[in-house]
Amino acid sequence: MQETRCNKSTVILLGTIHFGSDHYPKYIRQLHNIILEISPDVICAEISPDQLDGSTTCNSKPEYPCCILPISREKSIPVVPIQPGCDEPIATSLEDRKLTALQSASSNSAEAKLLEYIKRCDEVSINFWRTIMRNEMAIERVQSSEFHIAIAPQAYVMAEYFPEFMRLSDEWNEYFLGKIENTITSNKYQKILVIVGLGHKYWLWDHLKKRTDIILHNILTFREKQDENRKSENDRS
């Protein structure tokens, strides 16, 4: 059955965990299957131009060299890097600016205690991910809107108590968003897969859903729409 294009771009937002196939083969295999299932026209990827051309590594995001980039080459899917290059000012200065903001917050004893609590929560969260990502269905389950709502509160707490730190984090997300929106503009009526870490997904979702020129999906709603299209095709035949 030939897929029917609508008069809007379809954007599928997929959140990943930065794990590779060495320890998480089921997760990587399912991520591979999801990308093939979506069969995008273009991929917006959370990597830099340097990582895409191989001049620097993707060690911090092993899902790219062991899964996402090989699929893009095999299927001739264009990849748009949405992370700034190593020589761009935002990349060279942001981490230092974040560190300065956190050090400033740490000078206040109450804020230092809250930062320590958040750090401990992050450590527990990483161990949690290391456990659940051994299940091949985990990558799909964390794409739901319910999960999206569940992970947002920590960002709200950070924004309330550490506004400068969160403003810097928003700069990073805004850079991603700008690259994604440029891709939408230059790929009208196409199917665009946006792959970012789950920590960025909720922010991008909240901003992209305001656009009226796209249909925004996660993998679950994308499948529902595909099922509806197949049913309509069957009813007409």
Side-chain angles (χ1 to χ4, degrees):
M1 178 182 68
Q2 186 174 4
E3 187 174 352
T4 302
R5 298 287 188 191
C6 66
N7 59 359
K8 295 184 178 182
S9 297
T10 297
V11 177
I12 304 97
L13 190 52
L14 183 67
T16 65
I17 301 294
H18 301 321
F19 292 154
S21 58
D22 288 349
H23 300 291
Y24 303 91
K26 292 180 180 179
Y27 159 59
I28 292 299
R29 183 165 59 247
Q30 191 61 9
L31 178 59
H32 179 278
N33 292 339
I34 288 172
I35 296 172
L36 292 180
E37 176 186 353
I38 293 171
S39 187
D41 297 305
V42 62
I43 295 174
C44 287
E46 189 195 352
I47 54 174
S48 67
D50 321 273
Q51 292 170 327
L52 180 60
D53 67 22
S55 56
T56 56
T57 68
C58 296
N59 289 344
S60 63
K61 303 181 184 75
E63 70 270 32
Y64 283 92
C66 73
C67 176
I68 299 166
L69 294 181
I71 293 176
S72 72
R73 290 190 289 266
E74 177 189 347
K75 300 296 182 181
S76 299
I77 304 170
V79 174
V80 177
I82 64 171
Q83 183 171 300
C86 295
D87 58 346
E88 293 188 54
I90 187 173
T92 55
S93 68
L94 191 64
E95 289 306 313
D96 287 341
R97 292 161 66 201
K98 281 185 177 181
L99 181 60
T100 299
L102 287 176
Q103 287 173 338
S104 175
S106 298
S107 63
N108 179 298
S109 60
E111 290 182 348
K113 289 180 179 178
L114 182 56
L115 275 174
E116 181 62 23
Y117 171 74
I118 291 171
K119 179 182 176 182
R120 295 286 180 86
C121 287
D122 285 343
E123 291 170 354
V124 171
S125 176
I126 287 296
N127 289 330
F128 167 75
W129 287 117
R130 286 174 178 157
T131 299
I132 69 167
M133 280 302 164
R134 298 189 190 281
N135 183 315
E136 65 182 341
M137 297 305 294
I139 183 64
E140 300 185 7
R141 290 169 180 162
V142 299
Q143 305 302 323
S144 68
S145 57
E146 290 81 7
F147 184 84
H148 164 82
I149 293 169
I151 67 171
Q154 181 171 330
Y156 299 147
V157 171
M158 289 292 289
E160 175 71 22
Y161 290 96
F162 309 105
E164 176 62 15
F165 181 82
M166 288 307 297
R167 186 181 68 78
L168 295 173
S169 295
D170 285 350
E171 281 187 33
W172 198 253
N173 285 325
E174 285 165 2
Y175 186 99
F176 287 0
L177 181 63
K179 292 290 186 180
I180 294 166
E181 291 187 323
N182 288 342
T183 304
I184 292 170
T185 299
S186 58
N187 291 272
K188 291 184 181 298
Y189 318 131
Q190 300 296 296
K191 188 169 25 173
I192 302 167
L193 173 59
V194 178
I195 306 178
V196 292
L198 275 169
H200 302 287
K201 180 174 178 280
Y202 81 92
W203 190 98
L204 290 171
W205 182 277
D206 285 346
H207 285 73
L208 287 170
K209 72 181 183 182
K210 300 172 185 176
R211 295 185 64 116
T212 59
D213 61 334
I214 66 171
I215 299 173
L216 183 62
H217 286 295
N218 59 42
I219 183 57
L220 306 177
T221 61
F222 175 76
R223 284 175 177 160
E224 290 173 1
K225 185 61 177 178
Q226 294 297 96
D227 288 343
E228 288 178 11
N229 290 342
R230 281 190 288 268
K231 185 177 184 302
S232 296
E233 287 290 331
N234 291 335
D235 288 346
R236 286 195 294 268
S237 60

PDB file of all heavy atoms in Angstrom, residues 79-102:
ATOM      1  N   VAL A  79      20.764  13.039   7.420  1.00  0.00           N
ATOM      2  CA  VAL A  79      20.834  13.346   8.847  1.00  0.00           C
ATOM      3  C   VAL A  79      21.211  14.815   9.028  1.00  0.00           C
ATOM      4  O   VAL A  79      22.207  15.279   8.468  1.00  0.00           O
ATOM      5  CB  VAL A  79      21.855  12.452   9.566  1.00  0.00           C
ATOM      6  CG1 VAL A  79      22.026  12.884  11.025  1.00  0.00           C
ATOM      7  CG2 VAL A  79      21.425  10.986   9.507  1.00  0.00           C
ATOM      8  N   VAL A  80      20.404  15.529   9.806  1.00  0.00           N
ATOM      9  CA  VAL A  80      20.685  16.928  10.134  1.00  0.00           C
ATOM     10  C   VAL A  80      21.187  16.983  11.575  1.00  0.00           C
ATOM     11  O   VAL A  80      20.445  16.656  12.510  1.00  0.00           O
ATOM     12  CB  VAL A  80      19.427  17.807   9.993  1.00  0.00           C
ATOM     13  CG1 VAL A  80      19.737  19.240  10.408  1.00  0.00           C
ATOM     14  CG2 VAL A  80      18.883  17.755   8.576  1.00  0.00           C
ATOM     15  N   PRO A  81      22.452  17.355  11.800  1.00  0.00           N
ATOM     16  CA  PRO A  81      22.948  17.474  13.175  1.00  0.00           C
ATOM     17  C   PRO A  81      22.375  18.721  13.825  1.00  0.00           C
ATOM     18  O   PRO A  81      22.474  19.815  13.278  1.00  0.00           O
ATOM     19  CB  PRO A  81      24.460  17.572  12.995  1.00  0.00           C
ATOM     20  CG  PRO A  81      24.655  18.145  11.637  1.00  0.00           C
ATOM     21  CD  PRO A  81      23.487  17.679  10.800  1.00  0.00           C
ATOM     22  N   ILE A  82      21.749  18.564  14.992  1.00  0.00           N
ATOM     23  CA  ILE A  82      21.112  19.722  15.640  1.00  0.00           C
ATOM     24  C   ILE A  82      21.898  20.225  16.838  1.00  0.00           C
ATOM     25  O   ILE A  82      21.514  21.198  17.473  1.00  0.00           O
ATOM     26  CB  ILE A  82      19.659  19.391  16.064  1.00  0.00           C
ATOM     27  CG1 ILE A  82      19.627  18.294  17.133  1.00  0.00           C
ATOM     28  CG2 ILE A  82      18.823  19.007  14.856  1.00  0.00           C
ATOM     29  CD1 ILE A  82      18.246  18.082  17.740  1.00  0.00           C
ATOM     30  N   GLN A  83      23.010  19.570  17.151  1.00  0.00           N
ATOM     31  CA  GLN A  83      23.864  20.005  18.253  1.00  0.00           C
ATOM     32  C   GLN A  83      24.969  20.897  17.689  1.00  0.00           C
ATOM     33  O   GLN A  83      25.479  20.631  16.602  1.00  0.00           O
ATOM     34  CB  GLN A  83      24.479  18.787  18.945  1.00  0.00           C
ATOM     35  CG  GLN A  83      25.331  19.108  20.162  1.00  0.00           C
ATOM     36  CD  GLN A  83      25.727  17.853  20.912  1.00  0.00           C
ATOM     37  OE1 GLN A  83      24.859  17.117  21.378  1.00  0.00           O
ATOM     38  NE2 GLN A  83      27.014  17.596  21.011  1.00  0.00           N
ATOM     39  N   PRO A  84      25.348  21.964  18.408  1.00  0.00           N
ATOM     40  CA  PRO A  84      26.375  22.860  17.870  1.00  0.00           C
ATOM     41  C   PRO A  84      27.728  22.184  17.708  1.00  0.00           C
ATOM     42  O   PRO A  84      28.069  21.255  18.436  1.00  0.00           O
ATOM     43  CB  PRO A  84      26.444  23.985  18.912  1.00  0.00           C
ATOM     44  CG  PRO A  84      25.824  23.430  20.145  1.00  0.00           C
ATOM     45  CD  PRO A  84      24.813  22.433  19.698  1.00  0.00           C
ATOM     46  N   GLY A  85      28.480  22.654  16.727  1.00  0.00           N
ATOM     47  CA  GLY A  85      29.817  22.149  16.498  1.00  0.00           C
ATOM     48  C   GLY A  85      30.781  22.569  17.590  1.00  0.00           C
ATOM     49  O   GLY A  85      30.522  23.519  18.340  1.00  0.00           O
ATOM     50  N   CYS A  86      31.893  21.877  17.667  1.00  0.00           N
ATOM     51  CA  CYS A  86      32.867  22.113  18.740  1.00  0.00           C
ATOM     52  C   CYS A  86      33.398  23.541  18.757  1.00  0.00           C
ATOM     53  O   CYS A  86      33.798  24.053  19.803  1.00  0.00           O
ATOM     54  CB  CYS A  86      34.033  21.149  18.605  1.00  0.00           C
ATOM     55  SG  CYS A  86      33.578  19.419  18.834  1.00  0.00           S
ATOM     56  N   ASP A  87      33.411  24.190  17.577  1.00  0.00           N
ATOM     57  CA  ASP A  87      33.991  25.526  17.506  1.00  0.00           C
ATOM     58  C   ASP A  87      32.956  26.634  17.646  1.00  0.00           C
ATOM     59  O   ASP A  87      33.295  27.817  17.581  1.00  0.00           O
ATOM     60  CB  ASP A  87      34.738  25.700  16.177  1.00  0.00           C
ATOM     61  CG  ASP A  87      33.831  25.476  14.967  1.00  0.00           C
ATOM     62  OD1 ASP A  87      32.715  24.934  15.157  1.00  0.00           O
ATOM     63  OD2 ASP A  87      34.241  25.818  13.842  1.00  0.00           O
ATOM     64  N   GLU A  88      31.688  26.273  17.878  1.00  0.00           N
ATOM     65  CA  GLU A  88      30.664  27.298  18.038  1.00  0.00           C
ATOM     66  C   GLU A  88      30.671  27.832  19.465  1.00  0.00           C
ATOM     67  O   GLU A  88      30.836  27.077  20.427  1.00  0.00           O
ATOM     68  CB  GLU A  88      29.284  26.734  17.691  1.00  0.00           C
ATOM     69  CG  GLU A  88      29.134  26.373  16.222  1.00  0.00           C
ATOM     70  CD  GLU A  88      27.712  25.996  15.861  1.00  0.00           C
ATOM     71  OE1 GLU A  88      26.804  26.807  16.145  1.00  0.00           O
ATOM     72  OE2 GLU A  88      27.504  24.905  15.307  1.00  0.00           O
ATOM     73  N   PRO A  89      30.483  29.142  19.649  1.00  0.00           N
ATOM     74  CA  PRO A  89      30.570  29.745  20.985  1.00  0.00           C
ATOM     75  C   PRO A  89      29.668  29.091  22.018  1.00  0.00           C
ATOM     76  O   PRO A  89      30.070  28.915  23.172  1.00  0.00           O
ATOM     77  CB  PRO A  89      30.170  31.203  20.735  1.00  0.00           C
ATOM     78  CG  PRO A  89      30.540  31.447  19.313  1.00  0.00           C
ATOM     79  CD  PRO A  89      30.293  30.145  18.598  1.00  0.00           C
ATOM     80  N   ILE A  90      28.461  28.730  21.617  1.00  0.00           N
ATOM     81  CA  ILE A  90      27.544  28.134  22.598  1.00  0.00           C
ATOM     82  C   ILE A  90      28.095  26.827  23.135  1.00  0.00           C
ATOM     83  O   ILE A  90      27.943  26.505  24.310  1.00  0.00           O
ATOM     84  CB  ILE A  90      26.134  27.939  22.008  1.00  0.00           C
ATOM     85  CG1 ILE A  90      25.160  27.486  23.118  1.00  0.00           C
ATOM     86  CG2 ILE A  90      26.148  26.941  20.849  1.00  0.00           C
ATOM     87  CD1 ILE A  90      23.712  27.434  22.672  1.00  0.00           C
ATOM     88  N   ALA A  91      28.790  26.077  22.292  1.00  0.00           N
ATOM     89  CA  ALA A  91      29.353  24.795  22.729  1.00  0.00           C
ATOM     90  C   ALA A  91      30.568  24.996  23.611  1.00  0.00           C
ATOM     91  O   ALA A  91      30.779  24.251  24.575  1.00  0.00           O
ATOM     92  CB  ALA A  91      29.726  23.944  21.524  1.00  0.00           C
ATOM     93  N   THR A  92      31.381  25.989  23.302  1.00  0.00           N
ATOM     94  CA  THR A  92      32.620  26.185  24.046  1.00  0.00           C
ATOM     95  C   THR A  92      32.412  26.893  25.381  1.00  0.00           C
ATOM     96  O   THR A  92      33.222  26.751  26.294  1.00  0.00           O
ATOM     97  CB  THR A  92      33.626  26.995  23.205  1.00  0.00           C
ATOM     98  OG1 THR A  92      33.019  28.229  22.797  1.00  0.00           O
ATOM     99  CG2 THR A  92      34.036  26.213  21.959  1.00  0.00           C
ATOM    100  N   SER A  93      31.326  27.644  25.509  1.00  0.00           N
ATOM    101  CA  SER A  93      31.139  28.442  26.721  1.00  0.00           C
ATOM    102  C   SER A  93      30.054  27.932  27.657  1.00  0.00           C
ATOM    103  O   SER A  93      30.069  28.246  28.853  1.00  0.00           O
ATOM    104  CB  SER A  93      30.805  29.891  26.346  1.00  0.00           C
ATOM    105  OG  SER A  93      29.526  29.965  25.731  1.00  0.00           O
ATOM    106  N   LEU A  94      29.108  27.139  27.133  1.00  0.00           N
ATOM    107  CA  LEU A  94      27.919  26.819  27.921  1.00  0.00           C
ATOM    108  C   LEU A  94      28.245  26.023  29.178  1.00  0.00           C
ATOM    109  O   LEU A  94      27.726  26.331  30.262  1.00  0.00           O
ATOM    110  CB  LEU A  94      26.909  26.051  27.062  1.00  0.00           C
ATOM    111  CG  LEU A  94      25.523  25.886  27.707  1.00  0.00           C
ATOM    112  CD1 LEU A  94      24.849  27.232  27.891  1.00  0.00           C
ATOM    113  CD2 LEU A  94      24.630  24.983  26.875  1.00  0.00           C
ATOM    114  N   GLU A  95      29.093  25.001  29.067  1.00  0.00           N
ATOM    115  CA  GLU A  95      29.397  24.188  30.239  1.00  0.00           C
ATOM    116  C   GLU A  95      30.077  25.017  31.322  1.00  0.00           C
ATOM    117  O   GLU A  95      29.789  24.857  32.514  1.00  0.00           O
ATOM    118  CB  GLU A  95      30.273  22.980  29.843  1.00  0.00           C
ATOM    119  CG  GLU A  95      29.530  21.921  29.050  1.00  0.00           C
ATOM    120  CD  GLU A  95      28.265  21.431  29.735  1.00  0.00           C
ATOM    121  OE1 GLU A  95      28.325  21.125  30.949  1.00  0.00           O
ATOM    122  OE2 GLU A  95      27.219  21.371  29.078  1.00  0.00           O
ATOM    123  N   ASP A  96      30.987  25.909  30.919  1.00  0.00           N
ATOM    124  CA  ASP A  96      31.646  26.775  31.897  1.00  0.00           C
ATOM    125  C   ASP A  96      30.642  27.699  32.565  1.00  0.00           C
ATOM    126  O   ASP A  96      30.696  27.934  33.782  1.00  0.00           O
ATOM    127  CB  ASP A  96      32.735  27.619  31.224  1.00  0.00           C
ATOM    128  CG  ASP A  96      33.957  26.799  30.856  1.00  0.00           C
ATOM    129  OD1 ASP A  96      34.120  25.694  31.426  1.00  0.00           O
ATOM    130  OD2 ASP A  96      34.741  27.256  29.997  1.00  0.00           O
ATOM    131  N   ARG A  97      29.695  28.206  31.783  1.00  0.00           N
ATOM    132  CA  ARG A  97      28.680  29.103  32.340  1.00  0.00           C
ATOM    133  C   ARG A  97      27.745  28.354  33.280  1.00  0.00           C
ATOM    134  O   ARG A  97      27.333  28.882  34.320  1.00  0.00           O
ATOM    135  CB  ARG A  97      27.902  29.765  31.209  1.00  0.00           C
ATOM    136  CG  ARG A  97      28.735  30.742  30.389  1.00  0.00           C
ATOM    137  CD  ARG A  97      28.120  31.027  29.051  1.00  0.00           C
ATOM    138  NE  ARG A  97      26.854  31.724  29.166  1.00  0.00           N
ATOM    139  CZ  ARG A  97      25.936  31.731  28.203  1.00  0.00           C
ATOM    140  NH1 ARG A  97      26.153  31.090  27.058  1.00  0.00           N
ATOM    141  NH2 ARG A  97      24.809  32.384  28.378  1.00  0.00           N
ATOM    142  N   LYS A  98      27.422  27.103  32.932  1.00  0.00           N
ATOM    143  CA  LYS A  98      26.594  26.285  33.830  1.00  0.00           C
ATOM    144  C   LYS A  98      27.319  26.026  35.144  1.00  0.00           C
ATOM    145  O   LYS A  98      26.734  26.105  36.230  1.00  0.00           O
ATOM    146  CB  LYS A  98      26.245  24.950  33.164  1.00  0.00           C
ATOM    147  CG  LYS A  98      25.117  25.011  32.159  1.00  0.00           C
ATOM    148  CD  LYS A  98      24.780  23.608  31.674  1.00  0.00           C
ATOM    149  CE  LYS A  98      23.607  23.615  30.722  1.00  0.00           C
ATOM    150  NZ  LYS A  98      23.274  22.236  30.268  1.00  0.00           N
ATOM    151  N   LEU A  99      28.604  25.682  35.040  1.00  0.00           N
ATOM    152  CA  LEU A  99      29.395  25.401  36.235  1.00  0.00           C
ATOM    153  C   LEU A  99      29.460  26.632  37.142  1.00  0.00           C
ATOM    154  O   LEU A  99      29.313  26.524  38.367  1.00  0.00           O
ATOM    155  CB  LEU A  99      30.803  24.961  35.845  1.00  0.00           C
ATOM    156  CG  LEU A  99      31.752  24.606  36.994  1.00  0.00           C
ATOM    157  CD1 LEU A  99      31.182  23.456  37.821  1.00  0.00           C
ATOM    158  CD2 LEU A  99      33.135  24.249  36.455  1.00  0.00           C
ATOM    159  N   THR A 100      29.648  27.805  36.544  1.00  0.00           N
ATOM    160  CA  THR A 100      29.682  29.050  37.326  1.00  0.00           C
ATOM    161  C   THR A 100      28.356  29.285  38.025  1.00  0.00           C
ATOM    162  O   THR A 100      28.311  29.670  39.198  1.00  0.00           O
ATOM    163  CB  THR A 100      30.009  30.243  36.405  1.00  0.00           C
ATOM    164  OG1 THR A 100      31.293  30.043  35.817  1.00  0.00           O
ATOM    165  CG2 THR A 100      30.011  31.544  37.184  1.00  0.00           C
ATOM    166  N   ALA A 101      27.249  29.022  37.321  1.00  0.00           N
ATOM    167  CA  ALA A 101      25.918  29.220  37.911  1.00  0.00           C
ATOM    168  C   ALA A 101      25.700  28.268  39.083  1.00  0.00           C
ATOM    169  O   ALA A 101      25.158  28.656  40.130  1.00  0.00           O
ATOM    170  CB  ALA A 101      24.839  29.020  36.854  1.00  0.00           C
ATOM    171  N   LEU A 102      26.134  27.010  38.935  1.00  0.00           N
ATOM    172  CA  LEU A 102      25.965  26.039  40.012  1.00  0.00           C
ATOM    173  C   LEU A 102      26.866  26.361  41.196  1.00  0.00           C
ATOM    174  O   LEU A 102      26.465  26.202  42.355  1.00  0.00           O
ATOM    175  CB  LEU A 102      26.259  24.627  39.505  1.00  0.00           C
ATOM    176  CG  LEU A 102      25.202  24.018  38.588  1.00  0.00           C
ATOM    177  CD1 LEU A 102      25.655  22.656  38.083  1.00  0.00           C
ATOM    178  CD2 LEU A 102      23.859  23.885  39.302  1.00  0.00           C
TER     179      LEU A 102
END
